[in-house]
Amino acid sequence: MESNRDDRPAVHVEEQVEVIAQVVTAHTSIPGSDGEHRLQEKYGRTTHAMAFYKHQVLDHLNTAMQAFLARQEMMYVGTADAKGNADSAFRCGHAGFVKVLDERTVAYPEYRGNGVMASLGNISENPHVGLLFIDFGEQIGLHINGGARIVENNEFLEFLKDHPAEQAVLGDAVLKDIIESDGGHLERWVMVEVAEAYVQCSKHIPPMQRLDHDIKWGGEDHHPKGGDYFGTAHGQK
């Protein structure tokens, strides 16, 4: 006897999607951590998260992302050591200082700094990094998560020989001048293999206008670099 369709138990579409999402999570590699997946389920956000993963998260840099990176002058770098102790750092340079070597690889220069090498030290223990680029003019951002490795400058230049990105890197007039005349301030590079790339939405990103200014390179005067701005060296409380 044919059953009546009205006798079937009612199941909400969102519940169906969440069940499917849980099955996918259990059997398929999807973006994100186990922790975020558990919280998505706990707070009823699995459907939204799955839609974001499907439509916004790539395992490579598409052409729009590559063009975006070519305009950026700063980024934030998140790292952690082998024990999971986290650190965040700020990196900046001329527009396009972060180089796209191919759709799955980016590289950025490491200049002579305060000698602490917190980010590099973490990378030497734990290669997982998170890069965040924010364009305050366009009020949009880009996340890049992946695996990093440290490459000495001479090794990086050797790597570039006959590489498709050689001209893109060495054809950069600003970078070329730094490499040839800065007396060793560009010491090494960090190469990152892209695992995830996705948008940082514009909500709450404050609009800011870029202003040109002179940069004082080198020297031992700490004031242009920020020096003891917070007064720690003088015991300020």
Side-chain angles (χ1 to χ4, degrees):
M1 181 177 178
E2 189 173 311
S3 63
N4 191 324
R5 291 177 61 88
D6 295 334
D7 293 334
R8 298 177 183 178
V11 179
H12 294 295
V13 173
E14 185 168 338
E15 292 175 348
Q16 291 178 322
V17 174
E18 288 191 356
V19 170
I20 294 172
Q22 291 169 22
V23 172
V24 171
T25 301
H27 296 89
T28 308
S29 176
I30 65 171
S33 66
D34 291 340
E36 69 185 67
H37 299 154
R38 287 193 294 269
L39 289 181
Q40 290 157 11
E41 182 178 354
K42 177 179 178 179
Y43 296 118
R45 304 299 293 179
T46 300
T47 303
H48 301 81
M50 291 297 293
F52 184 83
Y53 293 151
K54 178 179 179 180
H55 298 293
Q56 296 296 336
V57 182
L58 301 178
D59 63 356
H60 64 280
L61 302 170
N62 65 16
T63 54
M65 292 173 175
Q66 294 180 38
F68 178 85
L69 289 176
R71 302 191 299 269
Q72 302 314 302
E73 300 178 70
M74 57 184 174
M75 70 173 175
Y76 304 92
V77 182
T79 60
D81 65 18
K83 298 179 180 178
N85 299 304
D87 181 73
S88 61
F90 179 66
R91 293 290 183 272
C92 53
H94 63 289
F97 78 102
V98 177
K99 297 302 181 185
V100 177
L101 304 185
D102 56 57
E103 67 175 8
R104 296 181 184 275
T105 314
V106 298
Y108 63 88
E110 280 284 340
Y111 297 98
R112 184 180 302 166
N114 58 15
V116 176
M117 298 188 178
S119 296
L120 294 181
N122 285 347
I123 290 171
S124 71
E125 297 183 17
N126 177 358
H128 300 289
V129 299
L131 310 181
L132 173 61
F133 300 83
I134 298 291
D135 189 317
F136 292 97
E138 295 188 19
Q139 291 178 270
I140 200 69
L142 174 66
H143 292 263
I144 298 177
N145 299 327
R149 65 187 181 96
I150 303 167
V151 182
E152 299 302 321
N153 189 46
N154 290 338
E155 181 185 353
F156 182 72
L157 295 178
E158 186 65 27
F159 166 83
L160 282 179
K161 290 183 178 179
D162 299 322
H163 190 282
E166 180 178 15
Q167 182 54 39
V169 177
L170 300 184
D172 181 327
V174 175
L175 183 58
K176 187 173 185 294
D177 181 64
I178 292 173
I179 291 175
E180 294 180 351
S181 64
D182 77 340
H185 288 99
L186 198 171
E187 298 182 323
R188 54 193 57 86
W189 293 73
V190 175
M191 293 177 60
V192 179
E193 182 178 349
V194 178
E196 298 176 350
Y198 57 92
V199 67
Q200 166 65 49
C201 68
S202 61
K203 187 177 182 181
H204 302 311
I205 295 179
M208 296 185 185
Q209 183 177 359
R210 184 187 182 284
L211 297 177
D212 290 325
H213 66 288
D214 293 330
I215 300 176
K216 297 181 180 180
W217 296 99
E220 297 303 321
D221 185 356
H222 293 286
H223 292 289
K225 304 175 184 178
D228 192 26
Y229 181 88
F230 293 106
T232 57
H234 296 87
Q236 181 173 311
K237 296 182 178 180

